[in-house]
Amino acid sequence: MSFDKKLKFTFGLWTVGNVGRDPFGEPTREKLDHVQICDLLGDVGAYGVNLHDNDLVPIDADTPTRDRIVKEFRKGMKDNGLVCPMATTNLFSDAVFKDGAFTSNNAKIRAYAIQKTMRAMDLGAELGAKIYVFWGGREGVESDATKNPVEAIKRFREAINFLCEYSISQRYGYKFAFEAKPNEPRGHMYFAVTGSYLALIPSLDHPEMCGVNPEVAHEHMAGLNFVHQVAAALEMKKLFHIDLNDQEFGRYDQDFRFGSANPKHAFFLVKLLEDYKYDGPRQFDAHAYRQSNYEDVKEFAKGCMRTYVLLREKAQRWNDDKEIQQLLRTINVEDQMVSKLTKKFSTGNAKKLLESPLDRVELAKAPLPYERLDQLTMEIIMGAR
Ligand code: GLT
Ligand code: MN
Ligand code: MN
C-alpha cells in the first residue's frame, strides 16, 4: 500500500508503538523497538516518523548506546524510505517533571528542562527534523495555590526565547510548533487552547520562528470547534504542524483513529487544509484500540491515512458540486460600493457609510438556504452524492 508522499503522512514512534497501557491497565501489546516501528510504518506506506528524545534513546543512555541506537534508527528509516520531519522532547514522563518543566517552581528543574531540550534538538537535527514541537504535558497545576500562573507564562517565554537562540546559534533552522491541551495529565494546563499560543507568539523574541501544532482531540476535549482553531492558525500563517486524531467531546484524551468519532468535523478539517493548501506534515497522533494486535495496529494506521484521502476526495466533490456552488453564490452577497467604504477607515468613508441607506428589514429578507446546503454536504459525506 502506498499513499501520496505529497500529503506527508507521519506517525510518532509513540503512536503505532503504543503498547495499550492506560491508567487502569497494563500493556496489551509487546513493545516494538525503533527498527520494528520503522518497518511497520514502511509496510503501511507512511511518509515519515517523528519522535520524542526518549522514544528513541532511553533517558539514562550513555553516549555509545545513544550513538548505536541513532545509527540503527537511521538505517531503519532509510530501509523503509521514511523521513523524520519533526522532533520533540519528553518533558513529562520522568518524576523530575512532576510539577512542570519550563514552568517548574524550581530553577534547577527549569534549567534541566532547557538542557534536555537542547540535547533533544541536537538529536532531531541529526535525523533531519526541521519542525520542533513543544507540548507542555506537565506545565500546569492541580491547585492554583501551588504556582503563580503569571510567573508560569514568563518562565515559559524565557525558556522558548533561550531555545530559539540555541537553534539559531547551531544553524538548525527549526520552526517551533506549540501544542495546546486543556487538561490531562495535569488538572489544569497552561496554554489551554491553540489560541493561547497564538496570543503568546507575538510576545516572543523570535515570533517568525514560532507557530502552532493543534491537535483535534485536545480542542474537542474542551468542547471547542477544532476547525476554527486551525483556521485562525492558518490565517495567521502559524500552522506549522498538525496532530490528526479523533475524540468524543468531553471525554478523556482518547487519541482515536482519524475521523472515527466525528466524521463531519473531520471532513471540514480536511477541506480547510486542502482548500488553503496546507503543505506541512500531517501527523496522526493517535493510537490503536487497546484490544488490537499489531496486524490491527497496521489497519489503524492505514485507516487514518485512508480516511484522510477519502475526505479529501469528498472535499473536492463538494467544491465541484454545481448546486453547492450555486447556493454559495446565493448566500454570499457582494456589493462593491459598500465594500469599498468598509475596507479601510477614512473620515470620508465613515461619513459616506453613515449616509448609506442600509435597510435592515429588507436585508433580513435575503434567503439563507442553509438546511439545503448542509444536507447536500451530508449527502456528499455519506456517499450519496
Ligand atoms: C503525547 C501527547 C501528544 C503530544 C506528543 C508530543 S506526546 O502523546 O498526548 O498530544 O503531541 O509531545
Ligand atoms: Mn499531539
Ligand atoms: Mn491527544
Side-chain angles (χ1 to χ4, degrees):
M1 175 155 290
S2 91
F3 291 90
D4 188 348
K5 297 280 176 198
K6 285 207 276 305
L7 292 171
K8 299 182 185 160
F9 288 146
T10 64
F11 290 83
L13 281 178
W14 69 93
T15 63
V16 285
N18 179 290
V19 290
R21 183 186 291 112
D22 74 11
F24 304 95
E26 299 301 332
T28 56
R29 293 184 280 268
E30 306 258 297
K31 193 172 165 12
L32 299 184
D33 70 24
H34 39 285
V35 176
Q36 289 172 311
I37 296 178
C38 287
D39 292 343
L40 188 156
L41 290 176
D43 273 4
V44 299
Y47 163 83
V49 56
N50 306 312
L51 72 164
H52 299 89
D53 48 358
N54 307 134
D55 295 338
L56 185 64
V57 182
I59 196 165
D60 48 8
D62 56 19
T63 308
T65 311
R66 174 209 185 270
D67 292 348
R68 176 184 52 77
I69 293 174
V70 171
K71 201 167 153 207
E72 287 165 5
F73 183 60
R74 290 174 73 126
K75 180 165 185 310
M77 280 170 49
K78 191 156 174 260
D79 290 348
N80 288 285
L82 298 168
V83 294
C84 173
M86 178 275 261
T88 183
T89 330
N90 185 325
L91 296 173
F92 44 88
S93 293
D94 194 86
V96 69
F97 300 126
K98 61 179 183 266
D99 191 31
F102 301 149
T103 69
S104 164
N105 280 331
N106 184 327
K108 283 194 174 158
I109 295 178
R110 296 199 294 276
Y112 172 66
I114 295 174
Q115 181 195 69
K116 188 173 192 287
T117 304
M118 290 159 72
R119 292 189 176 133
M121 286 167 68
D122 301 343
L123 172 65
E126 207 177 321
L127 298 169
K130 289 288 173 203
I131 299 166
Y132 205 86
V133 162
F134 290 84
W135 174 61
R138 299 283 172 189
E139 314 291 14
V141 292
E142 282 65 46
S143 160
D144 283 317
T146 65
K147 209 183 284 178
N148 178 332
V150 172
E151 276 309 306
I153 293 171
K154 288 191 201 303
R155 290 169 183 169
F156 188 86
R157 182 188 295 112
E158 196 176 284
I160 297 301
N161 284 340
F162 188 98
L163 292 164
C164 280
E165 297 295 348
Y166 182 66
S167 176
I168 293 167
S169 71
Q170 298 294 109
R171 300 182 196 281
Y172 286 157
Y174 277 126
K175 293 251 182 209
F176 288 4
F178 305 121
E179 178 175 346
K181 190 174 179 182
N183 57 272
E184 205 186 330
R186 299 307 300 265
H188 306 273
M189 277 150 80
Y190 301 130
F191 304 106
V193 294
T194 298
S196 320
Y197 281 121
L198 290 175
L200 174 79
I201 290 170
S203 78
L204 297 171
D205 287 349
H206 288 283
E208 73 290 350
M209 278 177 68
C210 298
V212 291
N213 175 40
E215 172 171 320
V216 179
H218 295 179
E219 313 285 339
H220 283 189
M221 283 170 74
L224 297 177
N225 181 312
F226 184 67
V227 175
H228 295 186
Q229 300 280 325
V230 176
L234 265 174
E235 203 279 336
M236 296 172 197
K237 305 206 178 340
K238 289 297 179 194
L239 188 67
F240 288 2
H241 198 264
I242 191 162
D243 278 0
L244 303 171
N245 58 13
D246 214 347
Q247 168 81 26
E248 298 288 355
F249 278 81
R251 302 276 165 95
Y252 65 96
D253 185 16
Q254 296 176 310
D255 292 331
F256 285 152
R257 190 177 75 257
F258 179 58
S260 60
N262 299 285
K264 188 177 181 186
H265 286 294
F267 167 78
F268 286 118
L269 175 61
V270 171
K271 183 172 173 324
L272 179 78
L273 295 174
E274 297 302 317
D275 284 352
Y276 285 88
K277 307 200 180 335
Y278 169 74
D279 73 346
R282 289 160 176 80
Q283 169 170 250
F284 296 102
D285 187 6
H287 51 75
Y289 300 139
R290 198 162 173 261
Q291 297 78 15
S292 300
N293 62 17
Y294 280 111
E295 271 319 298
D296 206 36
V297 170
K298 287 188 195 170
E299 294 306 316
F300 147 84
K302 284 187 276 188
C304 286
M305 296 185 279
R306 178 118 174 91
T307 296
Y308 189 98
V309 169
L310 290 171
L311 290 175
R312 187 170 182 253
E313 282 166 21
K314 292 195 183 292
Q316 188 58 48
R317 191 173 282 267
W318 197 96
N319 288 337
D320 293 342
D321 191 293
K322 296 227 161 49
E323 189 177 349
I324 289 178
Q325 290 310 315
Q326 184 54 46
L327 285 170
L328 294 180
R329 282 191 290 277
T330 307
I331 65 181
N332 287 289
V333 180
E334 293 307 331
D335 187 300
Q336 300 242 326
M337 280 292 284
V338 287
S339 294
K340 240 166 57 192
L341 295 182
T342 54
K343 184 124 191 103
K344 196 167 171 47
F345 179 86
S346 70
T347 46
N349 279 350
K351 186 161 177 284
K352 281 192 205 140
L353 181 58
L354 284 169
E355 288 161 359
S356 298
L358 297 167
D359 181 339
R360 77 169 212 289
V361 177
E362 269 312 302
L363 288 172
K365 288 183 188 158
L368 291 173
Y370 286 179
E371 288 291 355
R372 179 73 189 147
L373 181 56
D374 187 70
Q375 178 62 22
L376 291 176
T377 303
M378 290 306 296
E379 293 192 10
I380 284 182
I381 294 172
M382 292 187 290
R385 196 171 169 86

